[in-house]
Amino acid sequence: MSNQVLSVTDHRRDRAGLVYVYPVVSRRAGGVSVGINLNVNKACNWACVYCQVEGLSRGGPPPVDLDRLEQELQGFLQQLLRGDYMQQHVAEDCRRLADIAFSGDGEPTSAPEFSQAVARVAAVLERLGLRGNLPVRLITNGSFVHRPEVREGLAALAALGGEVWFKVDRADPEGMLEVNKSRQTSGRVLEHLRGCAALAPTWVQTCWFARNGLEPDEAARCAYLDLIGRAGDLLRGIHLYGLARPSQQPEAGELARIPEEAMRAWGERIERETGVRVSVSP
Ligand code: SF4
């Protein structure tokens, strides 16, 4: 394990020398977020143009070694809480354990062991006396919500007091294909979003950016507002964010941040037209 200090821009997954567990100093979470990466082969069923995973490929993860995941999580949390990991590796103003997040180098719910992984996290939190005191989040593209084992995992996450951040970047089929390389209909996304929100507290997370100098057009905006409006009664809110870190995908050079003022104006419009609360991180 190196003794370098982690920064908010360093999101490499191998920081603690572990396979499934990695620390991230997260602006979003306001401290050290303990990530769980089930997609150790960097394979995802989507290929978002802004994805920060270097060497991303299409596909799903290899079988998850649940015993190892549990041991790594317990050992790492103990180091964070009782060892000197924070003093050695984390800047003083971020020495706070913020959350545990199923995130990583691909879609977590594509792992058939996802619900068992949630159960292992619950067991560790229980043993360390953290259950109910440390938020557990799932960062997901939501495309496997129809699978019974994923629904089981979502219910288990909710029982832990956890929440879901569900990715909806665009809602028009062309936009989803262009941004996420995913062939979906807005009806299908709505079904997944509502299904997810009925099982666990759910936030939408939306990455909003310009491509080749063009911001999403009015048709794309209307499709997005329509979809959110239809799920709005079930949602906790929306995290609207810009390009926080550089894309590692071939399209990186085509993407650009949208000025803060325009991002805030779009956030206000979403709130006004859908009634859903929006937090903006330009
Ligand atoms: S869903 Fe997440 S991991 Fe998969 S390609 Fe998109 S940003 Fe990358």
Side-chain angles (χ1 to χ4, degrees), residues 27-274:
R27 276 184 306 165
R28 260 192 325 203
V32 177
S33 178
V34 177
I36 297 180
N37 178 24
L38 302 181
N39 303 68
V40 295
N41 57 350
K42 300 186 174 189
C44 187
N45 65 322
W46 286 12
C48 305
V49 290
Y50 57 80
C51 184
Q52 67 192 53
V53 176
E54 248 180 287
L56 180 79
S57 64
R58 294 301 279 259
V64 177
D65 181 344
L66 290 162
D67 290 339
R68 178 161 189 165
L69 188 160
E70 187 171 343
Q71 281 160 15
E72 285 189 0
L73 181 63
Q74 173 143 344
F76 190 59
L77 285 175
Q78 279 172 327
Q79 272 193 59
L80 281 174
L81 293 170
R82 291 164 206 154
D84 63 355
Y85 188 92
M86 291 281 197
Q87 282 71 20
Q88 293 286 331
H89 300 273
V90 182
E92 205 172 345
D93 58 346
C94 288
R95 287 182 193 154
R96 190 184 80 84
L97 186 51
D99 67 3
I100 292 178
F102 283 93
S103 181
D105 294 336
E107 172 49 41
T109 64
S110 63
E113 301 89 350
F114 169 67
S115 68
Q116 295 169 68
V118 175
R120 297 299 184 109
V121 170
V124 169
L125 293 180
E126 190 76 56
R127 275 200 296 277
L128 297 181
L130 291 171
R131 191 175 171 137
N133 298 319
L134 187 61
V136 183
R137 300 196 163 93
L138 165 67
I139 317 293
T140 180
N141 65 30
S143 56
F144 295 112
V145 166
H146 57 287
R147 290 185 178 173
E149 69 273 16
V150 173
R151 300 175 68 78
E152 202 178 293
L154 292 171
L157 189 76
L160 255 184
E163 65 183 27
V164 181
W165 289 17
F166 189 115
K167 188 186 291 294
V168 180
D169 295 322
R170 306 290 182 269
D172 53 311
E174 305 77 28
M176 290 188 276
L177 190 58
E178 189 190 306
V179 170
N180 309 113
K181 309 239 182 82
S182 147
R183 284 184 195 282
Q184 297 197 99
T185 62
S186 56
R188 186 74 166 152
V189 177
L190 181 61
E191 209 176 290
H192 284 158
L193 184 55
R194 292 188 66 93
C196 181
L199 288 167
T202 298
W203 295 75
V204 160
Q205 55 165 352
T206 299
C207 187
W208 202 251
F209 55 90
R211 185 159 184 188
N212 294 320
L214 297 174
E215 294 186 17
D217 63 16
E218 184 58 19
R221 288 171 199 259
C222 288
Y224 179 88
L225 292 168
D226 183 61
L227 179 85
I228 297 299
R230 287 169 194 261
D233 54 328
L234 292 173
L235 300 177
R236 293 298 168 108
I238 297 172
H239 298 295
L240 177 66
Y241 62 100
L243 295 172
R245 293 179 291 277
S247 163
Q248 297 299 329
Q249 307 314 309
E251 299 87 353
E254 299 171 14
L255 315 181
R257 285 182 175 205
I258 289 176
E260 178 166 353
E261 204 177 306
M263 287 286 283
R264 296 209 181 278
W266 173 228
E268 280 163 20
R269 180 174 171 194
I270 297 169
E271 275 193 356
R272 204 170 50 244
E273 295 192 22
T274 67

